[in-house]
Amino acid sequence: MTTTVSPAVLTTAFYAFCDTHRPVYLAYAAARLEPEDAHLAVACLFDLIASNWSEIVKMPHPAAWAWRQHTHTVARRSGRPTTAADDAALLHERLGLSVDQIATVTGTEPAAVTALLAAAHRGRPEHSTTPSR
């Protein structure tokens, strides 16, 4: 049995998604791109999301899908690919998001975000286990 969702509910859900995610998506893009490119990247992403919203909401983790699209677009525009740990560190340390906020915006579990932040912290040169001379 298939459940049909009314267009009004889909529209409301889309606007709620936009209100929740757009500010962080823009801040993330602005941290990696020039201001005009950041705005363009986010506008294009939300156009893509709007065009495919009825399919996206059927996915197990719509926010994870959107976040992947966003990070790939920003990496392509900047010419600098990042890792999930790099992205989590930027969101936490530079943008001041909590673990739960990062989990919401990236569509991941809080435990996974905590692990990514630990990996980012370990990967920094100042935290190397190599003895200094």
Side-chain angles (χ1 to χ4, degrees):
M1 183 167 152
T2 324
T3 305
T4 304
V5 179
S6 76
V9 170
L10 281 174
T11 301
T12 301
F14 174 73
Y15 286 125
F17 185 90
C18 290
D19 290 346
T20 301
H21 293 84
R22 187 185 303 268
V24 176
Y25 283 22
L26 185 55
Y28 172 87
R32 300 215 185 267
L33 301 169
E34 294 296 321
E36 281 184 35
D37 280 342
H39 284 280
L40 185 58
V42 172
C44 289
L45 173 69
F46 279 94
D47 284 346
L48 176 67
I49 293 170
S51 298
N52 296 287
W53 185 246
S54 61
E55 293 304 312
I56 293 168
V57 295
K58 294 176 188 173
M59 296 176 181
H61 303 285
W65 181 90
W67 183 252
R68 277 191 307 276
Q69 301 306 310
H70 185 51
T71 56
H72 290 151
T73 298
V74 170
R76 190 174 58 251
R77 285 181 171 274
S78 71
R80 295 183 312 258
T82 61
T83 66
D86 294 334
D87 293 338
L90 185 146
L91 292 169
H92 184 66
E93 296 165 8
R94 234 170 120 187
L95 302 182
L97 273 64
S98 69
V99 168
D100 287 339
Q101 289 170 317
I102 296 168
T104 297
V105 82
T106 62
T108 57
E109 294 296 322
V113 172
T114 300
L116 289 170
L117 290 171
H121 185 69
R122 280 191 309 272
R124 294 196 183 124
E126 66 269 15
H127 294 97
S128 173
T129 56
T130 307
S132 59
R133 295 182 186 204

